[in-house]
Amino acid sequence: PDWRRGRWLVEASRSWVAGQRWPLDQRPSWSCVWPFGTMFVYLSKKIAIPHNLNLQVVAWNSAQGWIACGGESGLLKVLKLESSAGAEGGAVVKAGAQSNLSMNQTLEGHQGNIMVITWNENFRKLTTSDQNGLIIVWMLHRGIWFEEMINNRNRSVVRDMKWSADCQKICIIYEDGAVIVGTVDGQRLWGKEIKTQLAFVEWSPDGKNILFCTLNGEVHVYDNEGIYSHRVPIYCLDSGTEGSVAIAGIDWYNSTTSTSENQVPTLCIGFENGRVQIMRSESDDKSVLIDTQLRCAGLKWDPNGTTVAIAGMQMQSQGTAADREVGVVQFYAPSGQHLRTLRVPGNNLRSISWEGNGLRLALAVDSHIFFANIRPDYLWGYFSHTLVYAVLKKERSEHVVVFWDTQSDEKYTKYIKHVTHIRSSDEYCVLVTKADDSTGQHIVIICNDIGSPMDSKYLDIEPVHVAMTNSHVIVASEDVVYIWMYRSSVTKQTHGELGVAAGILGVGSKRRTEMMFHIDESFAPGSGLHDRDSFVAPTAPTQDTIACITATEHCFLVARDSGAVQRYSSPHLGLESRFTIRCRPQVIAANSDSTRMSVIDINGLLTLYDIEVRPSASRGASDRQAAGGNQLEFERKDVWNMRWASDNPDLFAIMEKTRMYIVRGREPEEPILSNAYICAFRDLQIQSVLIDEVIQNPENPRKEVLLDFETKSLRDTRDILTKVSNLKDAFNYVEANPHPRLWRLLAEAALDQLDFGVAEKAFVRFEDYQGVQLVKRLRLLDDRVKQKAEVAAYFQRFDEAESLYCEIDRKDLALDLRVRLGDWFRVIQLTRGGSEEQQAWSHIGDYYADRGKWSNAAQYYAKAQNNTALVDTYYFLEDYDSLERLINYLPEGGPLLMDIGHKFASVGLCEQAVQAYLRYGDVKTAVDTCVLLNQWDLAVNLAQQQNFQQIEGLLAKYAQHLLDKNKKIEAVQLYRKANRHTEAAKLLSQLAHETPGGAQKNPERVKKLYLLAAMEVEKYKTKTLDVQMTGATQGTLTTAQTLQSLVTADQSVASDRALESPWRGCEGFHLLLLAQRQMYEGHYEAAMKTALHLADYEDILDTQTIYSLIALTSYYNKYFMQCSRAFIKLEASTDIPEEMRTKFCELALRIFMRNPPHDPSSRMLPCPKCSTRMHDWCTSCPNCNYRLPFCVASGRTVFEDKPGVGPGPGADSAVMKCKACRHRMYTAEVRKLRNCPLCHSA
């Protein structure tokens, strides 16, 4: 085909070396790349230059939008289009309108032909030069351009001028080889004479190098100081032609954000013979090589660096007439893929320039400026009122994907790398991305309307084409098709060979979820099930690759480069038909019932084809169906977007240049001025979006970019219904142009006029059963006002319906209407008192409760006396005081009391919960709640008050449970709360006895445990005595009963030794700690007197601890007799290991060999019982064996004074007793103390 001729692209092989050449007939094996993009280009505007002066150059300021054009006889103009300002200001509504000139100024100053024009966008300056070497720098002042600087060098012609990327420096080259580099202020930095003729100059993006192109086709690299570096290798020219082909243009895109990983070619060099090479750097030896088959005139990168436009003239055959040249602009991707070809009328195409946003191109052709609109293939989709689009963020090297809910204006942003395709269905969209690893895989991701991924698949093929339906995603590479059923759909009843085979083999839905096949497969019986797991890719590539695909709910179509189209059934895969079209398709689409197909070819020509599959007349019904593919008589040129209506197979909309056409069948309606992309077409309404505006400001899209258009039939129906009172004309029009929405409009208009006959017919045609029932119900009403009110309510004009009811004094109907609507505020206004008012208050409370406004809800529930809802509201508000007051308000035995009790128990409010349970009458639940919340005092009191006998068993059970888990401290707390003092004392004594380390490591802890046990016993005795005294006071106990209770209490205490003498353990450890402290403080006499009392506590402390301390203190106090007695005990005790007793024996020998066992004299005091005189350190009377008490503060023996006996009253001998533990202490010892040294009570 003709479209193949002259389109070859090469990528330099990795094995090539710099400087290698090859003859034209011996080129290396270059691979042709044919996946054309869907970018569209069309000519939109033409501006004529006065006096038919031919243009030489055109330059478009990408920042401010000014267009400078220069030509013959010093012609120099600066123009500006209105839409350029509109794009900045935001006039999105006029995006499709024709652009008028907002500036048209002729600049005078040049006499010769204008050769070069260049913009300084940062400083808003224009630099021009003519064939005489005159250079003028123009500056804008108050909206008018005027001369700022002039430079005239008459010796040669200025061939090119370029500003650096930062617009700080300019490089001017002359044809004779002179080079001047200056600043923006006009200062000359350096100049140089190059010994060759120059044609073009270009700065590197970083400003470090300058490229000079010579007239003989060489490219030399200098640094920014004018020092020669090297020559750029040229690969695109044939061997032997170097130095004989002139350069037509050079452009280096400023790609400062690219890295070594994602670097794309940005340096484009074109020659007059049409050869072009695109390089990553000036030393790249793997350049992309292109043969455009043009007589190249110039080339330019677009502002995004994604497309390079190459302009020139091409010979075109005229049949029998002589061949003539036509202007052509070809568009290529950086990788060399051919994107589009634009043919331009005229005899000489000399210059091109891009608009700042990359959506328009200015062409200098003869004496005209042509403007071409670019319609890129953006990454976007529309579904569920959500617009999803992806924009490449170069600074992050990834795409920002935005899910914009066009109704709520909420946006959900995701950042994804390497997004290649976006397609959408009714409820979901699919994103195709490249995996961020070295596997080369691609990921197909299904997302919902907030961007959450629902499912994903990994693919080993490269997705070139993607289509999506409500149940399937179809992905195609150049020769392989992959089908993924991403959600369950209705199983298609098929009788083909594939369906029969699937039924016989019992293939489950899992195997049919993913299918894959090669485009050349025949789908003959027995060729396999085409599931993904069993697919084997062919080794040889296909000669006829896939050009585009489309899919519907019933089938999907695959179009190939040769024009062959293959139709496959869906969801059960099968080849239904194959036919050929006479063009190279670029975009195909099928209508809603899969009977017609639209094709847009690479030239923007839209054609229609009949693809309905009909049973063949010559074959049986079970045989292969007849192929379609007949072309219909319909063609449109310069079409760049189209969409079939989703609910009508005969309707579709197309975008032709800046106009939208809606076509019914094959008859287009009047065009609508628009430049928007079509999102959806249903219900005779087209939703479109100005995606250009969205992409320019992706983070903050405005709702003004969303445009809705109606079809002519919908507009005409509205006009007829508005202007014509007779509904028969409207009925006839809708009957001639049937559509459900038109029938709905007619039915609504008929209801407004109470024409029930027409309304019923329209509802029947619309298949609205509820509407038919409404008409029947309206006919039964005898009052015309009632009918109007019901119609107003049907159209949701509720205020009008209410006023109509009130006019006929039917307030009850108005009230019933508001009740059905749930408008409870209005119900309260219509009613005064009664059950309706309370119901309204309650529903208003529900309204606020649903929105979490519990305070407001509580007020209205209280007015409605809705106690059930009020309980929940108070609970959510944590207003427990109000909830507690509600207990007394509710009747006794009410079931709501149990709910209140449960709520109080859930937050730990035991007393309130018990109050609610008792008011309900459930004592057991109240007691259980007390136990659950560890309120044992309350539980015991409650059990006693209510004669609840199970409390003892429950208490014992819970305590045993804690003991089984070795939680003895918790068990002690439980017993204490339950006033079970004896059990608590036993456990505390057991804990003290089992404390690790005992007296050696934790004496203080052991003392505290014994003290707590003793205090519990004291509480028990006090409680028992109080009960007895209370009974005696009331006269309810006899003497025998009192004695019996005392005997019983004594037996309960005497059953355990720790309870019988509760203070012994505490006393023993108290004396141990006191003696240790006194000894370390140097009070050896006091320490010895304290330690001697430890001899009475051998049941509490071990022998070694007691007598070691006695021996030590008596030794330091020089009481060697007491020391000797202690050593005797240590040597004779069997509780001490033999090794230790040997050591004690040796130590005693060393001590008493030097110190005889004698005690020094000491103070003698009388025994309080028998008055026998004894030492003051004695612990018992040697005569009567009376055990003397000790002072808990000092450890001394207490000798109480008797009248007339003893040493007489004195300050040192005064004794006091602790009220809590009843232990004695000398008054002189505790004057500075505030607590008892033993029990620590006040």
Side-chain angles (χ1 to χ4, degrees), residues 62 263 348 381 627 1009 1136 1216:
S62 61
Q263 188 177 11
N348 207 339
L1009 291 173
I1136 301 175
M1216 61 179 298

Side-chain angles (χ1 to χ4, degrees), residues 54-328:
N54 289 330
L55 294 176
Q56 298 290 334
V57 62
V58 62
W60 203 329
N61 186 310
S62 61
Q64 290 80 31
W66 294 301
I67 305 171
C69 59
E72 298 174 340
S73 304
L75 169 69
L76 181 60
K77 278 181 170 291
V78 177
L79 313 174
K80 193 170 187 180
L81 302 179
E82 285 182 350
S83 62
S84 298
E88 296 173 6
V92 295
V93 180
K94 298 182 180 179
Q98 293 292 337
S99 302
N100 298 320
L101 293 176
S102 62
M103 173 182 285
N104 186 0
Q105 180 183 350
T106 302
L107 307 185
E108 298 180 355
H110 289 284
Q111 300 300 323
N113 297 342
I114 305 297
M115 303 295 292
V116 182
I117 297 177
T118 181
W119 286 99
N120 188 320
E121 297 167 353
N122 291 359
F123 295 92
R124 298 193 176 191
K125 292 185 179 183
L126 173 65
T127 308
T128 60
S129 69
D130 57 23
Q131 65 182 20
N132 300 324
L134 177 63
I135 301 175
I136 302 178
V137 179
W138 307 85
M139 193 170 188
L140 184 68
H141 181 67
R142 295 183 179 179
I144 299 176
W145 293 92
F146 68 94
E147 297 177 357
E148 183 188 21
M149 289 181 287
I150 297 177
N151 184 14
N152 193 354
R153 183 176 182 269
N154 296 323
R155 289 191 297 174
S156 183
V157 180
V158 176
R159 291 304 300 260
D160 199 7
M161 297 182 295
K162 290 288 177 64
W163 289 96
S164 61
D166 57 2
C167 296
Q168 296 287 343
K169 300 177 183 179
I170 187 171
C171 183
I172 305 171
I173 64 170
Y174 293 84
E175 187 175 288
D176 60 0
V179 178
I180 299 175
V181 176
T183 65
V184 69
D185 299 328
Q187 299 178 4
R188 178 170 175 166
L189 295 178
W190 56 271
K192 191 177 184 66
E193 294 286 342
I194 299 178
K195 297 179 181 180
T196 183
Q197 291 183 320
L198 298 179
F200 296 98
V201 65
E202 182 61 82
W203 289 85
S204 64
D206 57 7
K208 295 180 179 180
N209 294 321
I210 306 176
L211 275 62
F212 297 108
C213 303
T214 65
L215 287 179
N216 59 1
E218 296 179 354
V219 182
H220 298 261
V221 181
Y222 287 74
D223 65 9
N224 56 8
E225 299 295 334
I227 301 175
Y228 176 79
S229 175
H230 61 280
R231 181 187 296 180
V232 176
I234 303 299
Y235 301 112
C236 61
L237 297 179
D238 295 331
S239 178
T241 61
E242 301 89 344
S244 60
V245 182
I247 293 179
I250 182 172
D251 193 16
W252 200 339
Y253 174 68
N254 181 18
S255 178
T256 57
T257 58
S258 63
T259 63
S260 58
E261 297 179 358
N262 62 355
Q263 188 177 11
V264 296
T266 55
L267 173 59
C268 185
I269 304 173
F271 292 83
E272 288 185 354
N273 64 353
R275 299 293 180 87
V276 178
Q277 74 179 36
I278 308 178
M279 312 173 69
R280 292 170 178 81
S281 66
E282 72 278 6
S283 302
D284 186 14
D285 59 351
K286 301 178 180 62
S287 305
V288 176
L289 310 181
I290 305 172
D291 187 1
T292 62
Q293 296 291 315
L294 301 177
R295 181 171 59 82
C296 187
L299 52 87
K300 275 289 182 183
W301 285 104
D302 73 332
N304 300 318
T306 58
T307 306
V308 60
I310 304 173
M313 304 301 292
Q314 188 177 48
M315 296 300 297
Q316 186 176 25
S317 176
Q318 301 293 323
T320 58
D323 294 347
R324 60 181 292 268
E325 281 190 330
V326 295
V328 174

Side-chain angles (χ1 to χ4, degrees), residues 31-47:
S31 59
C32 294
V33 181
W34 288 103
F36 289 77
T38 55
M39 182 188 83
F40 290 92
V41 186
Y42 60 87
L43 296 176
S44 59
K45 186 179 180 64
K46 180 175 70 172
I47 298 177

Side-chain angles (χ1 to χ4, degrees), residues 791-987:
V791 170
Y794 176 77
F795 291 123
Q796 299 184 1
R797 302 195 298 265
F798 303 117
D799 294 336
E800 179 184 345
E802 181 186 330
S803 62
L804 289 173
Y805 283 134
C806 292
E807 285 179 7
I808 60 175
D809 199 20
R810 293 300 303 270
K811 190 177 179 181
D812 58 329
L813 295 178
L815 185 62
D816 181 64
L817 172 66
R818 294 298 180 180
V819 169
R820 282 187 284 128
L821 292 176
D823 189 358
W824 301 106
F825 291 99
R826 186 60 183 160
V827 170
I828 292 174
Q829 295 175 3
L830 292 175
T831 184
R832 292 290 182 269
S835 60
E836 291 86 358
E837 185 176 12
Q838 284 196 352
Q839 184 184 9
W841 290 126
S842 182
H843 280 90
I844 293 174
D846 294 339
Y847 170 83
Y848 285 113
D850 291 340
R851 287 154 180 79
K853 299 180 179 179
W854 298 106
S855 300
N856 297 339
Q859 299 176 9
Y860 290 103
Y861 284 143
K863 291 181 180 180
Q865 298 180 359
N866 188 348
N867 295 325
T868 303
L870 199 59
V871 168
D872 294 331
T873 304
Y874 286 150
Y875 182 70
F876 283 120
L877 283 173
E878 298 182 2
D879 187 0
Y880 302 119
D881 294 335
S882 300
L883 194 60
E884 185 179 3
R885 288 193 295 269
L886 199 60
I887 296 175
N888 298 324
Y889 178 77
L890 296 174
E892 292 186 3
L896 200 56
L897 290 169
M898 288 296 291
D899 186 27
I900 294 176
H902 293 331
K903 285 180 167 54
F904 277 126
S906 66
V907 295
L909 298 177
C910 184
E911 295 181 0
Q912 293 83 346
V914 168
Q915 182 182 355
Y917 290 137
L918 291 180
R919 189 168 178 81
Y920 178 75
D922 192 345
V923 179
K924 183 179 184 304
T925 304
V927 174
D928 292 343
T929 302
C930 294
V931 173
L932 182 65
L933 297 178
N934 283 331
Q935 298 294 326
W936 291 98
D937 295 338
L938 184 59
V940 172
N941 294 334
L942 186 62
Q944 292 176 350
Q945 294 173 5
Q946 303 293 333
N947 293 324
F948 189 75
Q949 300 299 327
Q950 291 87 349
I951 186 65
E952 294 293 333
L954 187 63
L955 182 64
K957 185 177 180 181
Y958 184 58
Q960 187 60 41
H961 172 73
L962 293 175
L963 292 175
D964 292 341
K965 290 188 174 183
N966 200 27
K967 296 183 178 180
K968 295 182 178 180
I969 295 295
E970 289 81 358
V972 169
Q973 294 176 351
L974 173 64
Y975 282 133
R976 292 185 65 196
K977 289 181 179 179
N979 292 325
R980 304 287 291 270
H981 303 296
T982 56
E983 287 82 352
K986 291 178 182 179
L987 276 179

Side-chain angles (χ1 to χ4, degrees), residues 540-590:
T542 183
Q543 298 299 319
D544 189 9
T545 58
I546 298 174
C548 50
I549 64 173
T550 189
T552 66
E553 300 300 329
H554 311 291
C555 68
F556 66 92
L557 302 167
V558 179
R560 307 177 73 170
D561 289 338
S562 62
V565 180
Q566 298 170 198
R567 171 170 173 158
Y568 299 88
S569 61
S570 176
H572 292 282
L573 184 61
L575 179 60
E576 292 185 329
S577 64
R578 182 187 289 112
F579 54 90
T580 304
I581 57 179
R582 296 182 178 179
C583 65
R584 196 279 184 188
Q586 187 168 2
V587 177
I588 61 174

Side-chain angles (χ1 to χ4, degrees), residues 458-733:
Y458 280 81
L459 293 182
D460 294 324
I461 63 173
E462 181 180 0
V464 181
H465 313 283
V466 181
M468 186 181 191
T469 68
N470 289 329
S471 56
H472 289 76
V473 171
I474 297 94
V475 180
S477 64
E478 292 183 354
D479 54 359
V480 175
V481 180
Y482 165 77
I483 305 101
W484 173 26
M485 183 187 295
Y486 64 90
R487 70 176 185 181
S488 60
S489 60
V490 178
T491 304
K492 182 179 179 182
Q493 299 297 328
T494 178
H495 301 284
E497 296 86 357
L498 182 63
V500 174
I504 294 174
L505 295 175
V507 180
S509 60
K510 181 178 180 181
R511 289 181 61 85
R512 291 195 296 269
T513 300
E514 296 181 78
M515 292 172 282
M516 185 177 288
F517 64 91
H518 192 267
I519 191 63
D520 292 331
E521 290 188 24
S522 62
F523 279 79
S527 60
L529 295 173
H530 308 286
D531 61 298
R532 179 182 178 181
D533 296 335
S534 61
F535 175 76
V536 178
T539 56
T542 183
Q543 298 299 319
D544 189 9
T545 58
I546 298 174
C548 50
I549 64 173
T550 189
T552 66
E553 300 300 329
H554 311 291
C555 68
F556 66 92
L557 302 167
V558 179
R560 307 177 73 170
D561 289 338
S562 62
V565 180
Q566 298 170 198
R567 171 170 173 158
Y568 299 88
S569 61
S570 176
H572 292 282
L573 184 61
L575 179 60
E576 292 185 329
S577 64
R578 182 187 289 112
F579 54 90
T580 304
I581 57 179
R582 296 182 178 179
C583 65
R584 196 279 184 188
Q586 187 168 2
V587 177
I588 61 174
N591 62 354
S592 58
D593 61 358
S594 306
T595 58
R596 289 188 180 183
M597 178 184 71
S598 63
V599 178
I600 303 177
D601 65 7
I602 61 171
N603 296 315
L605 181 65
L606 172 69
T607 53
L608 296 181
Y609 293 86
D610 181 5
I611 61 171
E612 184 177 2
V613 179
R614 302 177 181 88
S616 177
S618 61
R619 302 181 182 182
S622 61
D623 223 340
R624 178 62 59 87
Q625 296 170 317
N630 298 324
Q631 183 174 353
L632 305 178
E633 295 181 0
F634 182 85
E635 284 188 359
R636 303 294 295 190
K637 295 181 180 180
D638 293 327
V639 176
W640 53 271
N641 191 212
M642 79 86 57
R643 184 174 291 270
W644 289 93
S646 60
D647 53 0
N648 192 325
D650 292 330
L651 277 178
F652 62 91
I654 61 174
M655 295 301 303
E656 183 179 310
K657 291 191 174 182
T658 57
R659 290 178 174 84
M660 175 188 291
Y661 289 89
I662 300 172
V663 184
R664 179 183 292 273
R666 281 173 275 178
E667 297 297 327
E669 298 178 357
E670 297 177 0
I672 304 170
L673 200 61
S674 174
N675 204 30
Y677 287 73
I678 302 173
C679 296
F681 188 6
R682 65 171 62 89
D683 281 342
L684 303 179
Q685 189 169 358
I686 298 172
Q687 294 174 288
S688 58
V689 58
L690 295 168
I691 196 69
D692 300 321
E693 304 289 338
V694 176
I695 296 300
Q696 290 179 14
N697 187 18
E699 297 178 354
N700 297 298
R702 297 176 297 161
K703 284 194 173 183
E704 289 82 357
V705 302
L706 303 171
L707 306 176
D708 291 338
F709 302 98
E710 295 181 345
T711 62
K712 184 176 182 297
S713 59
L714 181 58
R715 297 194 304 269
D716 292 346
T717 303
R718 292 187 192 276
D719 293 340
I720 294 173
L721 294 176
T722 304
K723 299 176 181 178
V724 180
S725 60
N726 188 2
L727 292 179
K728 291 185 179 179
D729 296 336
F731 185 86
N732 294 332
Y733 179 81

